[in-house]
Amino acid sequence: MNYRVLYFASLRDRAGIDAEQVESRAGDARGLYAELRLRHGFSMTEERLRVAINGAFAPWEQPLHDGDEVVFIPPVSGG
Amino acid sequence: MNYRVLYFASLRDRAGIDAEQVESRAGDARGLYAELRLRHGFSMTEERLRVAINGAFAPWEQPLHDGDEVVFIPPVSGG
Amino acid sequence: MFRLSEIPIDAAALAHELADAGAGACVTFEGWVRDRNEGRAVRRLGYQAYALLAVAEGERVLAEARAKFAVVDAACVHRVGTLEVGELAVWVGVSAAHRGAAFDACRWIIDEVKRRVPIWKNEHYADGESGWLHPDNK
Amino acid sequence: MFRLSEIPIDAAALAHELADAGAGACVTFEGWVRDRNEGRAVRRLGYQAYALLAVAEGERVLAEARAKFAVVDAACVHRVGTLEVGELAVWVGVSAAHRGAAFDACRWIIDEVKRRVPIWKNEHYADGESGWLHPDNK
């Protein structure tokens, strides 16, 4: 399936891109992040991230659909 | 002795004046207020007032000197 | 800095004066004239102050706040005279390195100003009556 | 109202929008860029946001505050982009009938915004280094 993935903060710096289209067999965000960690060398573990799917927080195991926008949210530091 | 007395809020309304020179034999604010209560018909008891002498809070029994400025401070309601 | 003001308070200018490169937080309190108090419709307020002592006691409150909380700066301005509904009656501003101290100090200052500083409020009601508030009346 | 802003925040205009004849108190929090953090000299900050979710989550925080505290209105604006030392990074304002609720709600909102809303801070240090803050790193 094809997903759109956005990157922010240290993940963006590490990936070197703001966003990408990802062709993947992963059916949920957990599988997708495992793939992307390998590809981009992210050091951040899943436990430190939240997931957003199509602009809303979602559980890691929520099934992904073709065309979904997936964002891995590192610990926030606004304010 | 001669004192200058300033009035504020409900005491000012009751006395009908902002300030007055008072000729009195009272040697402290307690005696002075007792006189002025009678003269102006103040209903407020001493327990509800604080005293200021020459611009600073002072105890009721602090000796007064000729020319002192004495103010009886009703419960405040700023803010 | 504690001041009494006979003219409208410029809150933005006051907050600006609290700025400091080491301050990461600024908390302000504004007291606005409400259209009612304890169920009665209020038209306007009159504030009277014993200015000499109000400024001295207000400065004392600010100095105590600076000693008690880790703040960078603190200020308060209180209106006197006649105020309409919606007008800014009192402004308190506190800057600090961190927000906890700024919130704590700001709240403490307005509580102490209301409790200690010789300023009195005269409420003018919609029915034409008016009355000075002397809070421990009750 | 929760907004992200790429241009300087006009705090006075925002406070004005909270006005209401039934509001007797307005508490604001301003987060300013400090010249140091944890002992390191800071030159400037960069804020990045996942805008779609930041606005949704920010609005959720404000709605929860309105349900939890007796407030009249509440708003928050957060800067994104590059900010110099002294600039206003985040503004929270709450109006309420009484000051207790205004203080409590304002503090709760800034705590929740910092904890939940997807906005990230990149600190640029005087020594030329920079780094994203991901607070539970520690």
Side-chain angles (χ1 to χ4, degrees), chain D residues 2 8 17 19-20 24 29 39 43 46 52 54 72-73 78 80-81 83 85 91 103-104 106 115-117 120 125:
Chain D
F2 184 94
E17 285 173 31
D20 183 282
F29 169 80
R43 274 289 154 73
L52 182 67
V72 169
D73 203 358
H78 201 299
V80 288
L83 280 79
V85 170
W91 180 91
F103 274 108
D104 290 343
C106 187
R115 197 174 70 78
R116 292 161 54 177
V117 175
W120 298 272
Y125 304 106

Side-chain angles (χ1 to χ4, degrees), chain A residues 6-13 44 48 50 52-57 69 71-79, chain D residues 47-50 52-53 56-57 60 78 89-90 110 113-121 132-137:
Chain A
L6 310 185
Y7 298 113
F8 292 96
S10 57
L11 295 183
R12 178 179 293 185
D13 284 6
M44 205 172 278
R48 302 195 53 230
R50 287 181 291 171
I53 299 171
N54 299 325
F57 288 115
E69 179 177 287
V71 185
F72 302 101
I73 312 276
V76 302
S77 51
Chain D
Y47 281 104
Q48 215 173 72
Y50 177 20
L52 182 67
L53 184 54
E57 188 69 3
R60 208 143 35 223
H78 201 299
V90 56
I110 185 61
V113 165
K114 288 174 76 86
R115 197 174 70 78
R116 292 161 54 177
V117 175
I119 300 174
W120 298 272
K121 180 190 301 187
W132 291 98
L133 300 192
H134 293 308
D136 53 8
N137 269 345

Side-chain angles (χ1 to χ4, degrees), chain C residues 12 15 18-32 34-35 85 95 97-100 103-104 106-107 110-111 114, chain D residues 12 15 18-19 21-32 34-35 85 95 97-100 103-104 106-107 110-111 114:
Chain C
L18 297 177
D20 184 282
C26 176
V27 172
T28 70
F29 169 80
E30 299 190 1
W32 296 341
R34 290 175 69 211
D35 64 358
V85 170
S95 60
H98 302 290
R99 69 188 185 285
F103 274 107
D104 290 343
C106 188
R107 189 168 196 158
I110 184 62
D111 287 351
K114 290 174 74 87
Chain D
L18 298 176
C26 177
V27 173
T28 71
F29 169 80
E30 298 189 3
W32 296 341
R34 287 174 73 211
D35 63 359
V85 170
S95 59
H98 303 289
R99 71 187 184 283
F103 274 108
D104 290 343
C106 187
R107 190 168 196 158
I110 185 61
D111 287 349
K114 288 174 76 86

Side-chain angles (χ1 to χ4, degrees), chain C residues 75-100:
Chain C
C76 177
V77 180
H78 201 298
R79 280 291 302 278
V80 289
T82 301
L83 279 79
E84 304 296 324
V85 170
E87 275 200 270
L88 175 50
V90 57
W91 180 91
V92 179
V94 176
S95 60
H98 302 290
R99 69 188 185 285

Side-chain angles (χ1 to χ4, degrees), chain D residues 1-4 54-62 66 74-78 90 113 117 119:
Chain D
M1 179 275 294
F2 184 94
R3 275 200 294 117
L4 298 172
V55 170
E57 188 69 3
E59 290 288 6
R60 208 143 35 223
V61 168
L62 295 176
R66 282 187 207 99
C76 178
V77 180
H78 201 299
V90 56
V113 165
V117 175
I119 300 174

